[in-house]
Amino acid sequence: MTTERPEGERYTHGYHQAIVSSYALRTAEECAAFLLPHLPADAVVLDMGSGPGTITAGLARRVGRVIGLDASEEMVEQSRRLVQGRGIDNATFVLGSAYDLPWSDGYFDVVYAHQLLQHLVDPVRALREARRVLRPGGLLAVRDADYGTMVHAPTDPTLARWLDLYHKVTAANGGEADAGRFVLSWVVRAGFKDPIVSTRTTTYATVEERVAWGGLWEVRVIASDFADHATKNGFATRAELEKISDAFRRWTDQPDAFWAFLHGEVLAVRP
């Protein structure tokens, strides 16, 4: 088993505390709503790219057993502490790569991946590996954001510059910022059948939501791995990143500020 990424692939976001804290707010009810009605109560589920484990914990409340897989030892350890603290005994976590799953063919009833494929240089390869570990008739559920659908108001050219910069950084890291529109294609190319496609929108418009998004990026754009990728690749200077951070701060403080984007979701069956 390996956790090494393919050549040219880097995780754009990194594990700054501000990022991990935002991931820890994710729930199965929100992020796996398209999957939950289809979950058998006795299912064995793989959560690929499980992060801090909050979605995994929510899935565990509904099925027989869940295994979370993540390439970060820090995330695996945090997830283990989370489920132990919540008294969940049917969720375990494994360090590993989506390209090299350490299970036999047909091991799982369901494979779920949330916001993972956008960071992979070869998402189809990872999906084929997911197909391998699914039993015939097993269910795949994938969900990814599409940064190209982002809209905001009040408009600000500095925030538009951030979105362009995000696309450049992600592409340089081997990922696809607009993954939401491509997940269906990737799933079909990986050999799954009977896809059901849906979309959901994330909206930030209340005071709390604006702080959650704008406040997060105010920090991320200057203090996370994103900042290092942007400067080391020559896409932006530290001074420009500071200006973008200030723009997010101004946006957050606007009483009529609005931000939204969609996620592409696909359910499909392993033949």
Side-chain angles (χ1 to χ4, degrees):
M1 182 178 65
T2 178
T3 58
E4 293 183 3
R5 294 180 177 272
E7 185 177 354
E9 181 181 296
R10 292 179 295 180
Y11 183 43
T12 296
H13 294 172
Y15 299 100
H16 188 280
Q17 184 56 44
I19 298 169
V20 175
S21 295
S22 71
Y23 289 174
L25 298 176
R26 293 171 173 173
T27 65
E29 291 77 11
E30 176 191 3
C31 300
F34 70 112
L35 167 63
L36 297 185
H38 305 278
L39 276 177
D42 60 349
V44 179
V45 179
L46 171 63
D47 181 3
M48 286 202 310
S50 50
T54 51
I55 300 175
T56 322
L59 294 174
R61 302 274 189 198
R62 295 169 166 83
V63 299
R65 185 159 59 97
V66 183
I67 301 176
L69 175 103
D70 204 273
S72 164
E73 186 173 0
E74 175 187 355
M75 291 297 94
V76 169
E77 291 302 322
Q78 181 169 327
S79 299
R80 289 170 177 166
R81 292 193 298 270
L82 173 78
V83 295
Q84 183 178 17
R86 294 185 181 183
I88 298 171
D89 60 6
N90 64 332
T92 56
F93 296 89
V94 174
L95 182 68
S97 167
Y99 298 115
D100 183 23
L101 300 176
W103 295 282
S104 59
D105 296 0
Y107 189 91
F108 294 97
D109 300 302
V110 178
V111 174
Y112 168 78
H114 178 264
Q115 312 299 353
L116 169 68
L117 301 179
Q118 63 187 275
H119 300 295
L120 303 183
V121 71
D122 193 348
V124 175
R125 176 184 161 196
L127 288 170
R128 286 176 179 151
E129 184 69 347
R131 187 188 68 186
R132 180 186 66 77
V133 300
L134 271 170
R135 63 168 175 79
L139 189 63
L140 173 77
V142 292
R143 183 180 197 250
D144 266 275
D146 190 318
Y147 278 66
T149 66
M150 287 191 175
V151 294
H152 71 274
T155 57
D156 185 327
T158 305
L159 294 179
R161 165 60 178 147
W162 164 81
L163 187 56
D164 176 68
L165 181 62
Y166 185 86
H167 279 82
K168 289 179 178 177
V169 168
T170 305
N173 287 345
E176 174 52 73
D178 299 341
R181 70 190 69 181
F182 297 115
V183 286
L184 174 60
S185 173
W186 295 336
V187 166
V188 170
R189 288 166 54 196
F192 290 89
K193 68 175 185 177
D194 301 331
I196 299 173
V197 182
S198 57
T199 60
R200 292 181 188 267
T201 304
T202 292
T203 303
Y204 301 102
T206 67
V207 172
E208 294 78 13
E209 290 166 349
R210 290 194 294 270
V211 169
W213 179 251
L216 172 64
W217 271 104
E218 177 187 338
V219 174
R220 284 174 70 171
V221 79
I222 56 175
S224 72
D225 285 9
F226 172 84
D228 294 334
H229 297 319
T231 54
K232 289 179 180 178
N233 282 311
F235 297 141
T237 64
R238 296 297 305 187
E240 184 174 16
L241 294 180
E242 291 285 354
K243 290 180 180 179
I244 294 172
S245 177
D246 289 342
F248 271 109
R249 185 182 305 112
R250 291 194 302 271
W251 177 86
T252 301
D253 291 340
Q254 295 294 319
D256 58 348
F258 170 88
W259 198 295
F261 57 97
L262 68 77
H263 306 264
E265 304 168 336
V266 179
L267 288 170
V269 176
R270 190 253 199 240

